[in-house]
Amino acid sequence: MKLFWDATKKLLPSCFSVIRKIRKKHTNEKMTMKQVTDVLKILKYINSLEPLPNTDLFPTSLYPWVTFQGDEPNCRVLETLNDAVSQGASDWLNHILENNKRPDETELARLQNLIQIIQLVRSDLQKAIEFYDKLFQETVNFPYAKSLYVFYQAKISTMCEPEVKAICKSVKKLNYSGYNSLTNGDINVDPLTEGTSLFELYLAIQRFVMLGVGLCPADSDTFHIKNFHQWFHGGVAQWLDIAVYKALQRIEKAVELDKLVHVDNTVKYSSSAVDTLTIFYQIKVFWEQLNWPNVEGSYTFIAKIIDDICRCCVFYADKMSEKVDGMGEVQDIYEKKFEVTNEWCLAINNIDYVRETLEPFTRDLGMNEVVQKMCELKSPVEAQRCQHTLENVIANAIDTVRNKIIELLEKVVSKMEPSMKRLLIEGAELCNQDSNSVHRLMMYVDNNLATLHRELNEENFNRTLEIVWNMLSDTLGEIIQTNLDKRRPPSFFDNLRKTLNLMLGSFKNPADCDNCDALKRTEQILRINGLETADLIHEVYLQLAEQFKKVKDSPYGEISVKAKFEDNTLTVEVMNARNLMAMDSNGSCDAFVRVHLLPEHKFSGIDKPKTKTHNKTQFPLFDETFVLKLSPEQRQLEDGLILFSVKDKDLLGYNNQYIGEALLHFSDIEDTTQPMSCLPQIHLQLSRPTDLTMSSDGINALEHRQGDKQAKEFLRKFKQRMG
């Protein structure tokens, strides 16, 4: 046996040499495949044997590339095979790096060099899959191609990530200042050429990652290269900027060539509106070519595209406004005034036509596919939140363009006469004036509104009237109410609350605004609905604590406790209970108290201690003390609560009956070093949630979250505790 193992040790180096130098063999030669097969059979046989004690098959002197770190002899054949595969790949990678050096150190040269290296690596992997992987797996049950991929992905990540991040960081923002302008800080650098190479590298890595998904389906999500798209964040943003830059050029040219006549008799818009939509769909084609991964965060670029399209819409609106500016100015013997013209109406209709197509266009970007991928990777709840976030971005983009239309309408109105402007801004005050000048002004307004009504579509004409009657308040109020009815996710309501605060801030004196109280009420509803479910549940408990404070005499009884903080330690003493509601047929109860710290998600690692059960008494004397160790963050929670839940234990303990509960706020607990015996008793009336609690804003918000399991489960248990 000793001779056999000595001979084996001499044979193995040549076997592993074949594995390491496998790339030097020609796969189309029969002897090559036979040699590899024989080597694998030898390794399989040796792996099935039990070596003699103290046999070291792979000494570091012969195998310096082995990663084995143990003190005992190394007889691990398959682990050494994996090391040999990795070492062979490393040798080959060093070879191609040496033979494919960069011609210079420019960013463009660095990008093209990385592309070439990745292509060669993919070629090696394809060769491994086609010729060797099945052989390795069938002979020694070793995933040859997977092992190679694991090695290569780490090396490619190490090579590419710092380079890509550095190049993306140096990318200069494009600024559009006219049709023939392209300013990026250096006229000798073509941003499109560099961006193209960056995009080619992105596609090369993307194909490499997709290859890894097929080879390593169970492990691919753990690879660092899986999140390669994050390296390109700045680069992709530049591509989107270039796409927008080209779009702005084309839009400017389309407006310049527009004759401001109807495309045909059936529509109320002109040629530039149609051209602008065509330009938008060219951006959509670019997004499809980009094929950004449908993973968490991919919607960020969809949101940017939506924002960029909104920017193009605003740019188009500005150009249309510039084109018609000056039209309609007339001078008669009495005064210089502005008359609404067909060109002005067409300009407004053009912008609105573009706005109407914004939402269906953004949905064509693949938003639903992104949401579906989020659902597969995480959960339906997370996917729903992602979808609502994107819908929020779309809604905000549409609102931005709508506001641009309103700006143009305001511009039309502002040109009619100073008195008209005052009527629009101070509508109620001017309407209350009874004078000939106001009467003449209203006649002038009626004449121009007749033109607007005839030439504008109905929606735009109604917008004109909304401007007269304080459009800002009405429009935002409608948006707020509409989205409350739609039960948007917390992120949407929080963002809408900020928008609402901006709107309130725009009023010089909110106290004089008729809608001020309603807006404040809306802000409170938005604040509640903007909380995440766990925080919202705690909000309900805080509301419940305020409600319980008002209870003076409870039919459920009273509980006496002591509590103190000492540094980060919370000590709670449950002393006794009195006049507990009888839960048993004998007119008594078998009571115990459970202590909870709220909010639960902030105290997930803290025990929920329980007292012993005191049988057949409505006046149990518990006298039990619990010491709870808190983290500094838990101790500093401003709205922490202690929930004392009193229950009646049934015979077997499977169906305990609920008696009542009490809440103690952290702010009502002393921070002291005094012993518990010196502290005063705290008497808490036991209570239960009531219909008043169920009608609170917090409960209503939870009721709206029908797809949220946490909210649904909380409401189910909460309703069971109602009095």
Side-chain angles (χ1 to χ4, degrees):
M1 288 299 293
K2 185 176 184 305
L3 289 174
F4 171 80
W5 287 109
D6 288 342
T8 299
K9 289 177 64 175
K10 294 179 180 179
L11 173 65
L12 284 175
S14 60
C15 292
F16 284 108
S17 177
V18 170
I19 300 299
R20 288 180 55 190
K21 299 177 181 179
I22 198 169
R23 289 164 189 81
K24 295 184 178 181
K25 310 290 184 181
H26 294 288
T27 55
N28 57 352
E29 295 180 1
K30 291 184 179 180
M31 288 302 299
T32 296
M33 300 305 296
K34 184 178 184 305
Q35 185 183 37
V36 174
T37 302
D38 291 342
V39 165
L40 293 177
K41 287 181 179 179
I42 292 171
L43 295 179
K44 177 182 178 181
Y45 179 73
I46 294 173
N47 188 54
S48 66
L49 300 177
E50 183 69 28
L52 291 176
N54 299 320
T55 299
D56 190 358
L57 292 180
F58 308 109
T60 56
S61 59
L62 295 178
Y63 302 87
W65 38 266
V66 169
T67 59
F68 178 74
Q69 299 293 330
D71 295 329
E72 68 276 10
N74 182 8
C75 297
R76 305 181 185 216
V77 176
L78 292 183
E79 286 84 345
T80 305
L81 175 60
N82 184 70
D83 290 341
V85 170
S86 298
Q87 184 60 37
S90 178
D91 294 340
W92 182 80
L93 184 60
N94 290 334
H95 171 74
I96 64 174
L97 287 173
E98 182 66 26
N99 288 274
N100 293 274
K101 293 184 177 180
R102 305 165 183 165
D104 53 60
E105 286 301 313
T106 63
E107 292 182 350
L108 186 60
R110 285 149 55 192
L111 289 171
Q112 293 173 345
N113 178 252
L114 289 174
I115 294 169
Q116 186 177 14
I117 296 302
I118 293 173
Q119 289 172 342
L120 290 171
V121 167
R122 285 190 73 250
S123 177
D124 185 59
L125 280 170
Q126 292 292 351
K127 183 178 178 181
I129 295 169
E130 183 176 354
F131 296 102
Y132 298 120
D133 192 57
K134 184 177 179 180
L135 178 62
F136 272 75
Q137 296 208 43
E138 290 180 349
T139 307
V140 291
N141 194 26
F142 179 79
Y144 177 68
K146 177 181 177 180
S147 178
L148 280 180
Y149 184 85
V150 171
F151 173 81
Y152 283 139
Q153 67 85 23
K155 290 295 184 181
I156 289 176
S157 296
T158 302
M159 287 190 298
C160 293
E161 182 176 6
E163 291 278 17
V164 170
K165 285 186 175 180
I167 292 173
C168 289
K169 190 175 182 180
S170 66
V171 167
K172 296 180 176 63
K173 184 176 178 60
L174 300 177
N175 298 305
Y176 185 78
S177 59
Y179 181 74
N180 294 316
S181 70
L182 178 57
T183 57
N184 70 326
D186 186 353
I187 60 174
N188 295 318
V189 176
D190 182 356
L192 188 57
T193 301
E194 186 173 286
T196 300
S197 294
L198 191 64
F199 184 52
E200 288 176 356
L201 177 60
Y202 170 84
L203 293 178
I205 298 177
Q206 184 184 64
R207 287 190 291 268
F208 182 83
V209 170
M210 292 306 297
L211 181 62
V213 173
L215 289 174
C216 317
D219 304 320
S220 60
D221 285 341
T222 65
F223 295 151
H224 184 72
I225 202 170
K226 178 69 175 178
N227 297 318
F228 76 97
H229 54 280
Q230 296 178 359
W231 314 341
F232 290 83
H233 189 278
V236 176
Q238 188 208 30
W239 267 84
L240 294 175
D241 288 342
I242 292 173
V244 173
Y245 170 83
K246 296 294 185 182
L248 295 176
Q249 278 189 324
R250 297 185 185 110
I251 289 172
E252 187 172 10
K253 191 65 175 179
V255 172
E256 180 184 335
L257 298 175
D258 195 348
K259 303 299 183 183
L260 285 177
V261 294
H262 297 84
V263 173
D264 57 52
N265 295 330
T266 62
V267 296
K268 292 186 175 182
Y269 49 83
S270 61
S271 62
S272 62
V274 179
D275 294 339
T276 299
L277 294 185
T278 303
I279 293 165
F280 289 172
Y281 276 91
Q282 290 172 348
I283 296 178
K284 173 179 173 290
V285 170
F286 160 75
W287 171 248
E288 292 172 347
Q289 291 175 339
L290 180 63
N291 193 24
W292 190 255
N294 291 329
V295 294
E296 183 182 7
S298 63
Y299 65 87
T300 301
F301 286 112
I302 292 183
K304 175 171 172 49
I305 292 176
I306 294 171
D307 187 64
D308 288 340
I309 294 298
C310 178
R311 176 188 169 194
C312 291
C313 290
V314 172
F315 179 79
Y316 176 69
D318 289 338
K319 289 301 175 181
M320 288 303 303
S321 179
E322 292 174 9
K323 188 174 183 69
V324 297
D325 195 19
M327 296 182 181
E329 300 285 351
V330 296
Q331 178 78 52
D332 59 22
I333 59 175
Y334 299 106
E335 59 184 344
K336 181 179 180 180
K337 59 183 180 180
F338 170 78
E339 295 285 353
V340 176
T341 65
N342 292 345
E343 289 82 3
W344 271 100
C345 295
L346 267 176
I348 294 169
N349 288 341
N350 284 344
I351 300 168
D352 197 44
Y353 175 72
V354 171
R355 181 199 63 81
E356 287 175 347
T357 60
L358 186 57
E359 184 170 5
F361 167 79
T362 53
R363 297 194 182 280
D364 286 344
L365 290 172
M367 184 179 74
N368 291 335
E369 289 77 2
V370 172
V371 172
Q372 180 61 34
K373 190 66 175 180
M374 290 289 292
C375 183
E376 295 172 1
L377 293 176
K378 289 205 168 184
S379 68
V381 173
E382 187 68 22
Q384 187 181 35
R385 289 177 181 172
C386 177
Q387 182 176 11
H388 287 321
T389 299
L390 288 172
E391 289 175 350
N392 184 22
V393 173
I394 294 171
N396 288 339
I398 293 173
D399 286 345
T400 301
V401 180
R402 181 183 289 114
N403 289 337
K404 203 65 186 179
I405 297 172
I406 293 169
E407 287 180 15
L408 193 55
L409 291 171
E410 288 175 338
K411 190 172 184 178
V412 171
V413 174
S414 67
K415 286 176 171 288
M416 290 182 181
E417 283 251 342
S419 298
M420 176 59 187
K421 184 176 181 180
R422 289 196 300 272
L423 178 64
L424 293 173
I425 298 174
E426 307 169 3
E429 292 79 5
L430 288 177
C431 287
N432 291 330
Q433 295 180 13
D434 185 13
S435 65
N436 291 332
S437 60
V438 173
H439 176 71
R440 289 193 301 270
L441 174 61
M442 291 306 298
M443 288 296 293
Y444 172 75
V445 171
D446 287 342
N447 291 335
N448 282 280
L449 287 178
T451 302
L452 292 168
H453 184 266
R454 182 181 67 251
E455 297 296 332
L456 292 179
N457 58 41
E458 182 178 358
E459 185 178 3
N460 281 332
F461 178 72
N462 290 334
R463 284 202 188 101
T464 304
L465 297 180
E466 288 176 4
I467 293 173
V468 176
W469 304 112
N470 201 350
M471 174 276 307
L472 180 62
S473 178
D474 291 345
T475 301
L476 286 180
E478 180 183 353
I479 293 173
I480 292 168
Q481 188 57 52
T482 298
N483 288 292
L484 283 174
D485 293 340
K486 288 182 179 180
R487 297 174 181 177
R488 298 285 189 176
S491 59
F492 181 85
F493 282 102
D494 185 61
N495 186 60
L496 195 56
R497 177 172 172 248
K498 295 175 183 176
T499 305
L500 175 60
N501 287 329
L502 289 174
M503 188 188 72
L504 287 173
S506 68
F507 289 87
K508 293 182 179 179
N509 189 358
D512 294 337
C513 179
D514 293 337
N515 294 325
C516 184
D517 291 338
L519 291 173
K520 287 182 178 180
R521 171 64 180 157
T522 302
E523 182 184 13
Q524 171 65 6
I525 294 174
L526 289 175
R527 187 189 72 81
I528 295 295
N529 283 273
L531 296 173
E532 294 297 331
T533 299
D535 295 324
L536 182 55
I537 289 173
H538 191 57
E539 182 75 14
V540 171
Y541 276 114
L542 291 173
Q543 295 173 359
L544 198 62
E546 291 300 317
Q547 182 181 331
F548 284 2
K549 282 184 178 180
K550 300 176 183 178
V551 177
K552 301 300 181 184
D553 188 17
S554 171
Y556 308 108
E558 176 183 290
I559 184 173
S560 297
V561 301
K562 290 183 178 181
K564 73 169 184 176
F565 284 112
E566 186 172 352
D567 295 328
N568 294 326
T569 299
L570 172 61
T571 305
V572 179
E573 182 179 352
V574 182
M575 303 187 69
N576 59 69
R578 295 186 292 174
N579 296 318
L580 294 180
M581 173 181 282
M583 306 299 290
D584 299 335
S585 58
N586 60 8
S588 185
C589 59
D590 306 321
F592 67 91
V593 180
R594 172 87 65 182
V595 180
H596 309 253
L597 297 185
L598 304 175
E600 287 190 352
H601 67 286
K602 296 291 181 66
F603 296 96
S604 58
I606 304 299
D607 293 334
K608 301 174 183 178
K610 183 185 75 170
T611 67
K612 296 178 180 178
T613 302
H614 290 251
N615 298 318
K616 299 180 181 180
T617 176
Q618 293 176 271
F619 298 83
L621 184 63
F622 298 105
D623 279 341
E624 291 189 48
T625 301
F626 306 104
V627 178
L628 304 175
K629 299 293 184 180
L630 308 181
S631 68
E633 293 77 14
Q634 291 170 333
R635 170 63 186 92
Q636 296 302 321
L637 284 176
E638 295 181 358
D639 290 328
L641 295 171
I642 303 178
L643 170 64
F644 298 94
S645 179
V646 184
K647 296 183 179 181
D648 175 71
K649 186 175 183 180
D650 75 340
L651 182 61
L652 299 177
Y654 293 113
N655 191 24
N656 300 325
Q657 291 181 287
Y658 181 76
I659 299 176
E661 64 188 37
L663 288 162
L664 181 62
H665 202 288
F666 276 17
S667 61
D668 296 328
I669 301 175
E670 291 185 29
D671 195 336
T672 179
T673 58
Q674 292 185 0
M676 295 293 285
S677 59
C678 298
L679 298 179
Q681 293 187 25
I682 303 173
H683 303 288
L684 302 171
Q685 296 292 323
L686 295 178
S687 191
R688 296 185 184 181
T690 64
D691 290 336
L692 177 62
T693 310
M694 294 303 296
S695 64
S696 68
D697 294 336
I699 293 295
N700 288 336
L702 288 170
E703 293 279 8
H704 291 165
R705 301 182 184 185
Q706 298 176 353
D708 192 319
K709 292 182 180 180
Q710 184 181 10
K712 187 175 181 180
E713 182 66 14
F714 172 78
L715 289 173
R716 182 184 68 81
K717 294 181 179 179
F718 196 78
K719 291 175 182 178
Q720 291 177 351
R721 308 204 311 265
M722 286 185 61

